Amino acid sequence: MAKVRHSRFDCTPGCSVEAAIGLIDGKWKSVILFHLLDRTLRFGELSRILASVTPRMLTNQLRELEEDGLLVRTVYPQVPPKVEYSLSPLGRSMEPVLMALKAWGDANISRFGKPKGIDPREKQNPLAPAGQTASGHQWAKFDPVPIE
């Protein structure tokens, strides 16, 4: 079921924060906006930049950003069709917010980022023999830590 977008805000304290976050909610919207700060991009370029986003998700996020007036979708009548995405003036006004998020992320990424050198797909399988990952790879060294 699709979520209800932009329902009425109750205008309690924090309402404006709720409204702003409502426009950039979703895993990819703020990242898309951030990359559009520098230049106009085509769908394929965005897809390459955001390698882990599916084409369907990227399309949905771009449509919602256009619907909300944060970006402009320009279609050139040619074969094959050429479509470019750029920030609208409203989207451009998000620049200080996006740059503040980037600065905060840069300062704190070590707290929340993935540990280097550990592939999250290589989690220990509780049914696998000691030192073996869920995918069957052997660890070079296995030193179990007692659970307290």
Side-chain angles (χ1 to χ4, degrees):
M1 176 187 289
K3 71 177 185 174
V4 177
R5 293 177 39 82
H6 308 301
S7 59
R8 285 209 140 161
F9 297 107
D10 61 9
C11 293
T12 58
C15 175
S16 54
V17 173
E18 183 182 356
I21 294 297
L23 290 176
I24 60 170
D25 68 341
K27 184 173 181 178
W28 299 104
K29 286 183 185 178
S30 54
V31 180
I32 291 167
L33 292 172
F34 178 78
H35 287 293
L36 290 173
L37 287 174
D38 293 334
R39 61 192 163 107
T40 298
L41 294 169
R42 294 179 67 183
F43 184 88
E45 294 171 308
L46 281 166
S47 190
R48 279 188 293 279
I49 291 168
L50 308 171
S52 59
V53 67
T54 64
R56 180 179 177 191
M57 177 58 74
L58 181 56
T59 298
N60 288 340
Q61 298 283 274
L62 288 167
R63 282 182 184 156
E64 288 180 14
L65 287 167
E66 180 185 16
E67 218 175 86
D68 293 337
L70 295 174
L71 64 79
V72 176
R73 179 179 185 261
T74 307
V75 180
Y76 295 93
Q78 64 186 48
V79 177
K82 177 180 174 183
V83 180
E84 292 181 336
Y85 296 93
S86 58
L87 292 179
S88 69
L90 181 62
R92 181 67 56 193
S93 72
M94 293 288 296
E95 185 170 4
V97 175
L98 296 168
M99 296 311 291
L101 283 170
K102 182 187 183 316
W104 187 90
D106 288 345
N108 293 287
I109 195 155
S110 63
R111 293 178 181 217
F112 307 106
K114 287 188 265 183
K116 292 191 186 322
I118 297 176
D119 187 345
R121 295 170 290 187
E122 295 297 318
K123 295 179 181 170
Q124 175 67 27
N125 179 349
L127 302 176
Q132 188 176 21
T133 64
S135 57
H137 293 99
Q138 292 290 324
W139 291 346
K141 179 181 176 187
F142 180 69
D143 188 11
V145 178
I147 298 174
E148 296 179 19

mmCIF file with all atom_site columns, all heavy atoms in Angstrom, residues 66-82:
data_model
loop_
_atom_site.group_PDB
_atom_site.id
_atom_site.type_symbol
_atom_site.label_atom_id
_atom_site.label_alt_id
_atom_site.label_comp_id
_atom_site.label_asym_id
_atom_site.label_entity_id
_atom_site.label_seq_id
_atom_site.pdbx_PDB_ins_code
_atom_site.Cartn_x
_atom_site.Cartn_y
_atom_site.Cartn_z
_atom_site.occupancy
_atom_site.B_iso_or_equiv
_atom_site.pdbx_formal_charge
_atom_site.auth_seq_id
_atom_site.auth_comp_id
_atom_site.auth_asym_id
_atom_site.auth_atom_id
_atom_site.pdbx_PDB_model_num
ATOM 1   N N   . GLU A 1 66 ? 10.191 15.380 -8.076  1.00 0.00 ? 66 GLU A N   1
ATOM 2   C CA  . GLU A 1 66 ? 9.606  16.265 -9.090  1.00 0.00 ? 66 GLU A CA  1
ATOM 3   C C   . GLU A 1 66 ? 8.209  16.705 -8.657  1.00 0.00 ? 66 GLU A C   1
ATOM 4   O O   . GLU A 1 66 ? 7.857  17.885 -8.752  1.00 0.00 ? 66 GLU A O   1
ATOM 5   C CB  . GLU A 1 66 ? 9.542  15.542 -10.434 1.00 0.00 ? 66 GLU A CB  1
ATOM 6   C CG  . GLU A 1 66 ? 8.956  16.404 -11.542 1.00 0.00 ? 66 GLU A CG  1
ATOM 7   C CD  . GLU A 1 66 ? 8.773  15.669 -12.849 1.00 0.00 ? 66 GLU A CD  1
ATOM 8   O OE1 . GLU A 1 66 ? 8.813  14.418 -12.870 1.00 0.00 ? 66 GLU A OE1 1
ATOM 9   O OE2 . GLU A 1 66 ? 8.555  16.356 -13.858 1.00 0.00 ? 66 GLU A OE2 1
ATOM 10  N N   . GLU A 1 67 ? 7.421  15.765 -8.152  1.00 0.00 ? 67 GLU A N   1
ATOM 11  C CA  . GLU A 1 67 ? 6.071  16.055 -7.677  1.00 0.00 ? 67 GLU A CA  1
ATOM 12  C C   . GLU A 1 67 ? 6.085  17.109 -6.573  1.00 0.00 ? 67 GLU A C   1
ATOM 13  O O   . GLU A 1 67 ? 5.212  17.967 -6.514  1.00 0.00 ? 67 GLU A O   1
ATOM 14  C CB  . GLU A 1 67 ? 5.481  14.758 -7.111  1.00 0.00 ? 67 GLU A CB  1
ATOM 15  C CG  . GLU A 1 67 ? 4.034  14.515 -7.380  1.00 0.00 ? 67 GLU A CG  1
ATOM 16  C CD  . GLU A 1 67 ? 3.651  13.137 -6.864  1.00 0.00 ? 67 GLU A CD  1
ATOM 17  O OE1 . GLU A 1 67 ? 3.317  13.030 -5.665  1.00 0.00 ? 67 GLU A OE1 1
ATOM 18  O OE2 . GLU A 1 67 ? 3.702  12.181 -7.660  1.00 0.00 ? 67 GLU A OE2 1
ATOM 19  N N   . ASP A 1 68 ? 7.085  17.032 -5.710  1.00 0.00 ? 68 ASP A N   1
ATOM 20  C CA  . ASP A 1 68 ? 7.196  17.965 -4.584  1.00 0.00 ? 68 ASP A CA  1
ATOM 21  C C   . ASP A 1 68 ? 7.836  19.287 -4.986  1.00 0.00 ? 68 ASP A C   1
ATOM 22  O O   . ASP A 1 68 ? 7.970  20.189 -4.155  1.00 0.00 ? 68 ASP A O   1
ATOM 23  C CB  . ASP A 1 68 ? 7.996  17.332 -3.449  1.00 0.00 ? 68 ASP A CB  1
ATOM 24  C CG  . ASP A 1 68 ? 7.267  16.154 -2.825  1.00 0.00 ? 68 ASP A CG  1
ATOM 25  O OD1 . ASP A 1 68 ? 6.021  16.084 -2.945  1.00 0.00 ? 68 ASP A OD1 1
ATOM 26  O OD2 . ASP A 1 68 ? 7.941  15.301 -2.215  1.00 0.00 ? 68 ASP A OD2 1
ATOM 27  N N   . GLY A 1 69 ? 8.255  19.392 -6.242  1.00 0.00 ? 69 GLY A N   1
ATOM 28  C CA  . GLY A 1 69 ? 8.816  20.649 -6.727  1.00 0.00 ? 69 GLY A CA  1
ATOM 29  C C   . GLY A 1 69 ? 10.270 20.871 -6.385  1.00 0.00 ? 69 GLY A C   1
ATOM 30  O O   . GLY A 1 69 ? 10.770 21.992 -6.487  1.00 0.00 ? 69 GLY A O   1
ATOM 31  N N   . LEU A 1 70 ? 10.981 19.809 -5.973  1.00 0.00 ? 70 LEU A N   1
ATOM 32  C CA  . LEU A 1 70 ? 12.390 19.960 -5.608  1.00 0.00 ? 70 LEU A CA  1
ATOM 33  C C   . LEU A 1 70 ? 13.335 19.779 -6.794  1.00 0.00 ? 70 LEU A C   1
ATOM 34  O O   . LEU A 1 70 ? 14.477 20.226 -6.737  1.00 0.00 ? 70 LEU A O   1
ATOM 35  C CB  . LEU A 1 70 ? 12.759 18.971 -4.497  1.00 0.00 ? 70 LEU A CB  1
ATOM 36  C CG  . LEU A 1 70 ? 12.045 19.218 -3.164  1.00 0.00 ? 70 LEU A CG  1
ATOM 37  C CD1 . LEU A 1 70 ? 12.351 18.105 -2.183  1.00 0.00 ? 70 LEU A CD1 1
ATOM 38  C CD2 . LEU A 1 70 ? 12.443 20.560 -2.588  1.00 0.00 ? 70 LEU A CD2 1
ATOM 39  N N   . LEU A 1 71 ? 12.883 19.112 -7.826  1.00 0.00 ? 71 LEU A N   1
ATOM 40  C CA  . LEU A 1 71 ? 13.725 18.992 -9.008  1.00 0.00 ? 71 LEU A CA  1
ATOM 41  C C   . LEU A 1 71 ? 12.897 19.188 -10.265 1.00 0.00 ? 71 LEU A C   1
ATOM 42  O O   . LEU A 1 71 ? 11.674 19.114 -10.251 1.00 0.00 ? 71 LEU A O   1
ATOM 43  C CB  . LEU A 1 71 ? 14.510 17.677 -9.055  1.00 0.00 ? 71 LEU A CB  1
ATOM 44  C CG  . LEU A 1 71 ? 13.835 16.333 -9.149  1.00 0.00 ? 71 LEU A CG  1
ATOM 45  C CD1 . LEU A 1 71 ? 13.396 16.028 -10.565 1.00 0.00 ? 71 LEU A CD1 1
ATOM 46  C CD2 . LEU A 1 71 ? 14.821 15.275 -8.718  1.00 0.00 ? 71 LEU A CD2 1
ATOM 47  N N   . VAL A 1 72 ? 13.613 19.473 -11.343 1.00 0.00 ? 72 VAL A N   1
ATOM 48  C CA  . VAL A 1 72 ? 13.003 19.708 -12.645 1.00 0.00 ? 72 VAL A CA  1
ATOM 49  C C   . VAL A 1 72 ? 13.444 18.585 -13.566 1.00 0.00 ? 72 VAL A C   1
ATOM 50  O O   . VAL A 1 72 ? 14.643 18.290 -13.667 1.00 0.00 ? 72 VAL A O   1
ATOM 51  C CB  . VAL A 1 72 ? 13.443 21.069 -13.232 1.00 0.00 ? 72 VAL A CB  1
ATOM 52  C CG1 . VAL A 1 72 ? 12.890 21.267 -14.624 1.00 0.00 ? 72 VAL A CG1 1
ATOM 53  C CG2 . VAL A 1 72 ? 13.029 22.194 -12.299 1.00 0.00 ? 72 VAL A CG2 1
ATOM 54  N N   . ARG A 1 73 ? 12.488 17.973 -14.214 1.00 0.00 ? 73 ARG A N   1
ATOM 55  C CA  . ARG A 1 73 ? 12.745 16.905 -15.186 1.00 0.00 ? 73 ARG A CA  1
ATOM 56  C C   . ARG A 1 73 ? 12.555 17.515 -16.565 1.00 0.00 ? 73 ARG A C   1
ATOM 57  O O   . ARG A 1 73 ? 11.465 17.979 -16.905 1.00 0.00 ? 73 ARG A O   1
ATOM 58  C CB  . ARG A 1 73 ? 11.766 15.757 -14.950 1.00 0.00 ? 73 ARG A CB  1
ATOM 59  C CG  . ARG A 1 73 ? 11.927 14.606 -15.899 1.00 0.00 ? 73 ARG A CG  1
ATOM 60  C CD  . ARG A 1 73 ? 10.906 13.514 -15.523 1.00 0.00 ? 73 ARG A CD  1
ATOM 61  N NE  . ARG A 1 73 ? 11.091 12.340 -16.323 1.00 0.00 ? 73 ARG A NE  1
ATOM 62  C CZ  . ARG A 1 73 ? 10.355 12.046 -17.392 1.00 0.00 ? 73 ARG A CZ  1
ATOM 63  N NH1 . ARG A 1 73 ? 9.384  12.858 -17.783 1.00 0.00 ? 73 ARG A NH1 1
ATOM 64  N NH2 . ARG A 1 73 ? 10.584 10.947 -18.072 1.00 0.00 ? 73 ARG A NH2 1
ATOM 65  N N   . THR A 1 74 ? 13.623 17.514 -17.359 1.00 0.00 ? 74 THR A N   1
ATOM 66  C CA  . THR A 1 74 ? 13.572 18.077 -18.696 1.00 0.00 ? 74 THR A CA  1
ATOM 67  C C   . THR A 1 74 ? 13.699 16.958 -19.715 1.00 0.00 ? 74 THR A C   1
ATOM 68  O O   . THR A 1 74 ? 14.683 16.213 -19.701 1.00 0.00 ? 74 THR A O   1
ATOM 69  C CB  . THR A 1 74 ? 14.719 19.100 -18.918 1.00 0.00 ? 74 THR A CB  1
ATOM 70  O OG1 . THR A 1 74 ? 14.665 20.058 -17.861 1.00 0.00 ? 74 THR A OG1 1
ATOM 71  C CG2 . THR A 1 74 ? 14.579 19.797 -20.253 1.00 0.00 ? 74 THR A CG2 1
ATOM 72  N N   . VAL A 1 75 ? 12.685 16.839 -20.575 1.00 0.00 ? 75 VAL A N   1
ATOM 73  C CA  . VAL A 1 75 ? 12.675 15.804 -21.607 1.00 0.00 ? 75 VAL A CA  1
ATOM 74  C C   . VAL A 1 75 ? 12.960 16.475 -22.940 1.00 0.00 ? 75 VAL A C   1
ATOM 75  O O   . VAL A 1 75 ? 12.299 17.441 -23.323 1.00 0.00 ? 75 VAL A O   1
ATOM 76  C CB  . VAL A 1 75 ? 11.307 15.082 -21.666 1.00 0.00 ? 75 VAL A CB  1
ATOM 77  C CG1 . VAL A 1 75 ? 11.321 14.007 -22.742 1.00 0.00 ? 75 VAL A CG1 1
ATOM 78  C CG2 . VAL A 1 75 ? 10.944 14.505 -20.321 1.00 0.00 ? 75 VAL A CG2 1
ATOM 79  N N   . TYR A 1 76 ? 13.966 15.956 -23.653 1.00 0.00 ? 76 TYR A N   1
ATOM 80  C CA  . TYR A 1 76 ? 14.309 16.465 -24.977 1.00 0.00 ? 76 TYR A CA  1
ATOM 81  C C   . TYR A 1 76 ? 13.686 15.547 -26.021 1.00 0.00 ? 76 TYR A C   1
ATOM 82  O O   . TYR A 1 76 ? 13.891 14.340 -25.984 1.00 0.00 ? 76 TYR A O   1
ATOM 83  C CB  . TYR A 1 76 ? 15.825 16.522 -25.150 1.00 0.00 ? 76 TYR A CB  1
ATOM 84  C CG  . TYR A 1 76 ? 16.467 17.511 -24.207 1.00 0.00 ? 76 TYR A CG  1
ATOM 85  C CD1 . TYR A 1 76 ? 16.944 17.099 -22.962 1.00 0.00 ? 76 TYR A CD1 1
ATOM 86  C CD2 . TYR A 1 76 ? 16.572 18.843 -24.550 1.00 0.00 ? 76 TYR A CD2 1
ATOM 87  C CE1 . TYR A 1 76 ? 17.518 18.010 -22.084 1.00 0.00 ? 76 TYR A CE1 1
ATOM 88  C CE2 . TYR A 1 76 ? 17.141 19.767 -23.683 1.00 0.00 ? 76 TYR A CE2 1
ATOM 89  C CZ  . TYR A 1 76 ? 17.618 19.333 -22.453 1.00 0.00 ? 76 TYR A CZ  1
ATOM 90  O OH  . TYR A 1 76 ? 18.176 20.235 -21.587 1.00 0.00 ? 76 TYR A OH  1
ATOM 91  N N   . PRO A 1 77 ? 12.905 16.133 -26.965 1.00 0.00 ? 77 PRO A N   1
ATOM 92  C CA  . PRO A 1 77 ? 12.227 15.312 -27.975 1.00 0.00 ? 77 PRO A CA  1
ATOM 93  C C   . PRO A 1 77 ? 13.195 14.830 -29.049 1.00 0.00 ? 77 PRO A C   1
ATOM 94  O O   . PRO A 1 77 ? 13.371 15.469 -30.079 1.00 0.00 ? 77 PRO A O   1
ATOM 95  C CB  . PRO A 1 77 ? 11.164 16.256 -28.540 1.00 0.00 ? 77 PRO A CB  1
ATOM 96  C CG  . PRO A 1 77 ? 11.728 17.620 -28.324 1.00 0.00 ? 77 PRO A CG  1
ATOM 97  C CD  . PRO A 1 77 ? 12.585 17.539 -27.100 1.00 0.00 ? 77 PRO A CD  1
ATOM 98  N N   . GLN A 1 78 ? 13.846 13.747 -28.783 1.00 0.00 ? 78 GLN A N   1
ATOM 99  C CA  . GLN A 1 78 ? 14.781 13.158 -29.736 1.00 0.00 ? 78 GLN A CA  1
ATOM 100 C C   . GLN A 1 78 ? 14.746 11.653 -29.575 1.00 0.00 ? 78 GLN A C   1
ATOM 101 O O   . GLN A 1 78 ? 14.154 11.134 -28.654 1.00 0.00 ? 78 GLN A O   1
ATOM 102 C CB  . GLN A 1 78 ? 16.197 13.706 -29.525 1.00 0.00 ? 78 GLN A CB  1
ATOM 103 C CG  . GLN A 1 78 ? 16.796 13.350 -28.168 1.00 0.00 ? 78 GLN A CG  1
ATOM 104 C CD  . GLN A 1 78 ? 18.128 14.021 -27.925 1.00 0.00 ? 78 GLN A CD  1
ATOM 105 O OE1 . GLN A 1 78 ? 18.265 15.208 -28.138 1.00 0.00 ? 78 GLN A OE1 1
ATOM 106 N NE2 . GLN A 1 78 ? 19.096 13.247 -27.485 1.00 0.00 ? 78 GLN A NE2 1
ATOM 107 N N   . VAL A 1 79 ? 15.383 10.968 -30.484 1.00 0.00 ? 79 VAL A N   1
ATOM 108 C CA  . VAL A 1 79 ? 15.450 9.505  -30.424 1.00 0.00 ? 79 VAL A CA  1
ATOM 109 C C   . VAL A 1 79 ? 16.911 9.124  -30.285 1.00 0.00 ? 79 VAL A C   1
ATOM 110 O O   . VAL A 1 79 ? 17.722 9.510  -31.128 1.00 0.00 ? 79 VAL A O   1
ATOM 111 C CB  . VAL A 1 79 ? 14.826 8.872  -31.686 1.00 0.00 ? 79 VAL A CB  1
ATOM 112 C CG1 . VAL A 1 79 ? 14.967 7.368  -31.641 1.00 0.00 ? 79 VAL A CG1 1
ATOM 113 C CG2 . VAL A 1 79 ? 13.373 9.284  -31.826 1.00 0.00 ? 79 VAL A CG2 1
ATOM 114 N N   . PRO A 1 80 ? 17.297 8.396  -29.250 1.00 0.00 ? 80 PRO A N   1
ATOM 115 C CA  . PRO A 1 80 ? 16.502 7.989  -28.094 1.00 0.00 ? 80 PRO A CA  1
ATOM 116 C C   . PRO A 1 80 ? 16.191 9.189  -27.206 1.00 0.00 ? 80 PRO A C   1
ATOM 117 O O   . PRO A 1 80 ? 16.910 10.193 -27.250 1.00 0.00 ? 80 PRO A O   1
ATOM 118 C CB  . PRO A 1 80 ? 17.406 6.986  -27.379 1.00 0.00 ? 80 PRO A CB  1
ATOM 119 C CG  . PRO A 1 80 ? 18.784 7.404  -27.724 1.00 0.00 ? 80 PRO A CG  1
ATOM 120 C CD  . PRO A 1 80 ? 18.696 7.967  -29.121 1.00 0.00 ? 80 PRO A CD  1
ATOM 121 N N   . PRO A 1 81 ? 15.130 9.092  -26.397 1.00 0.00 ? 81 PRO A N   1
ATOM 122 C CA  . PRO A 1 81 ? 14.757 10.216 -25.540 1.00 0.00 ? 81 PRO A CA  1
ATOM 123 C C   . PRO A 1 81 ? 15.889 10.581 -24.585 1.00 0.00 ? 81 PRO A C   1
ATOM 124 O O   . PRO A 1 81 ? 16.594 9.716  -24.088 1.00 0.00 ? 81 PRO A O   1
ATOM 125 C CB  . PRO A 1 81 ? 13.548 9.709  -24.759 1.00 0.00 ? 81 PRO A CB  1
ATOM 126 C CG  . PRO A 1 81 ? 13.114 8.468  -25.431 1.00 0.00 ? 81 PRO A CG  1
ATOM 127 C CD  . PRO A 1 81 ? 14.267 7.945  -26.223 1.00 0.00 ? 81 PRO A CD  1
ATOM 128 N N   . LYS A 1 82 ? 16.050 11.861 -24.372 1.00 0.00 ? 82 LYS A N   1
ATOM 129 C CA  . LYS A 1 82 ? 17.058 12.355 -23.431 1.00 0.00 ? 82 LYS A CA  1
ATOM 130 C C   . LYS A 1 82 ? 16.312 13.066 -22.303 1.00 0.00 ? 82 LYS A C   1
ATOM 131 O O   . LYS A 1 82 ? 15.495 13.949 -22.561 1.00 0.00 ? 82 LYS A O   1
ATOM 132 C CB  . LYS A 1 82 ? 18.001 13.320 -24.146 1.00 0.00 ? 82 LYS A CB  1
ATOM 133 C CG  . LYS A 1 82 ? 19.041 13.942 -23.257 1.00 0.00 ? 82 LYS A CG  1
ATOM 134 C CD  . LYS A 1 82 ? 19.926 14.887 -24.068 1.00 0.00 ? 82 LYS A CD  1
ATOM 135 C CE  . LYS A 1 82 ? 20.884 15.631 -23.181 1.00 0.00 ? 82 LYS A CE  1
ATOM 136 N NZ  . LYS A 1 82 ? 21.685 16.587 -23.938 1.00 0.00 ? 82 LYS A NZ  1
#
